[in-house]
Amino acid sequence: MMTLVLVASVLIGVSLGTLGGGGSILTVPILVYLAGQDTKEAIATSLFVVGVTSMVGLIPHARAGRVRRRTGLTFGAVGMVGAYGGGRLAEYIPATVLLVAFALMTLATAAAMLRKSRKAKAAEPAHTELPVKHVVVEGLVVGAVTGLVGSGGGFLVVPALALLGGLPVSVAVGTSLLVIAMQSFSGLAGHLSGVTIDWNVALMVTGAAVIGSLIGSRFAGRIPQDTLRKAFGWFVVVMGVFVLGRQLPHAVWADPLTWTGIGLAAATAVTWGAVRARRPRPATDAPQVGSRESAAHP
């Protein structure tokens, strides 16, 4: 079984190396359902694994100039406060509630990954550093979520840096690794007050994840990000549904109201997607008539 755990752990690093997030979404289920750890130990261990793996994955991004240090350090420092608080709070929350919250965060992350944002395509990097007021708000929220359920860091940080800060996606990915590492270790400190970690398992999983991050960093520029993000997004959907299904009682799934709600949510999502697809897109790439005429008649 440990061999299967280590093989699966390589995917943790691959995800972090190519997408700048997703490590904790894989780590917690691997530790709970494959390694047999209890929920709180798995969340704490995942913070250690993701923190170390993010630090290793940060190195090639920093060498390539894809890290905004001031934004990353400020975001990470604020996030550490929220992460430590979330880690301490987790001690008083039942394990089942934490896993349900983790599953819901996983599904929300998958929805964000699969959503085709026009803003992301139209955005141009307006400045190189994220405004401080955005850093404080986003850092506290993301840090608290990361510390509480051990998930949600990377795929919340990257959009914040790319959309709010106007950073190129590659730079947002690199900078997010710095933020994730800082938040993960702070969240781990909060959890250690009430959780004991099996360090043998933690170090083995971390080693496999580090190998995966090195592999992922090599393929990051060769695989189309949209294709990779969508494929991983659907995988995250399956994992989130699996975790949620294991935690919710059978009576919930047998209730007709549950399936009615699921059906309405699915119909709403499909309808909304169809409406968005029919909306006319601004012709940002169309050449201007005046510019063509002036070029023809200088």
Side-chain angles (χ1 to χ4, degrees):
M1 182 62 71
M2 182 54 63
T3 301
L4 181 59
V5 170
L6 295 179
V7 172
S9 299
V10 174
L11 296 177
I12 299 170
V14 172
S15 173
L16 285 167
T18 55
L19 298 175
S24 54
I25 290 176
L26 296 174
T27 311
V28 173
I30 287 172
L31 293 174
V32 171
Y33 299 113
L34 294 183
Q37 293 188 350
D38 63 71
T39 301
K40 295 186 177 182
E41 181 185 4
I43 290 176
T45 304
S46 75
L47 290 170
F48 174 79
V49 173
V50 173
V52 174
T53 307
S54 297
M55 288 182 63
V56 174
L58 176 65
I59 296 174
H61 287 280
R63 288 178 176 175
R66 295 192 295 267
V67 177
R68 296 289 184 266
R69 292 178 177 81
R70 193 196 65 154
T71 294
L73 290 173
T74 306
F75 203 131
V78 175
M80 288 176 72
V81 177
Y84 181 79
R88 291 300 301 269
L89 180 62
E91 182 180 353
Y92 306 99
I93 299 177
T96 300
V97 175
L98 288 176
L99 266 185
V100 169
F102 172 83
L104 294 176
M105 175 56 64
T106 299
L107 293 174
T109 298
M113 294 170 64
L114 295 171
R115 181 173 175 268
K116 192 174 184 180
S117 175
R118 296 182 196 175
K119 292 181 180 180
K121 288 193 172 185
E124 294 293 335
H127 40 76
T128 57
E129 298 287 355
L130 190 65
V132 175
K133 61 180 181 180
H134 290 156
V135 169
V136 173
V137 175
E138 293 283 338
L140 285 174
V141 173
V142 173
V145 172
T146 301
L148 183 64
V149 301
S151 176
F155 288 122
L156 292 176
V157 175
V158 173
L161 296 175
L163 298 181
L164 297 180
L167 300 182
V169 174
S170 60
V171 175
V173 168
T175 306
S176 75
L177 293 174
L178 174 60
V179 176
I180 293 169
M182 297 175 67
Q183 291 180 348
S184 296
F185 288 123
S186 180
L188 174 63
H191 278 275
L192 286 178
S193 61
V195 175
T196 301
I197 292 179
D198 185 340
W199 289 106
N200 290 328
V201 174
L203 291 174
M204 286 190 292
V205 172
T206 301
V210 166
I211 294 174
S213 71
L214 297 177
I215 296 173
S217 62
R218 288 182 172 271
F219 287 96
R222 302 178 184 180
I223 303 175
Q225 288 293 300
D226 286 344
T227 301
L228 186 62
R229 191 174 295 274
K230 288 179 181 179
F232 192 80
W234 285 113
F235 175 74
V236 170
V237 168
V238 173
M239 183 166 292
V241 171
F242 172 77
V243 174
L244 192 61
R246 290 290 298 267
Q247 297 307 310
L248 293 180
H250 176 73
V252 174
W253 296 110
D255 193 333
L257 291 177
T258 300
W259 293 103
T260 301
I262 293 174
L264 290 174
T268 302
V270 171
T271 303
W272 176 247
V275 170
R276 285 177 57 85
R278 292 178 181 178
R279 287 180 181 176
R281 296 187 178 183
T284 55
D285 298 331
Q288 299 295 326
V289 176
S291 62
R292 285 187 298 181
E293 290 179 352
S294 58
H297 304 284

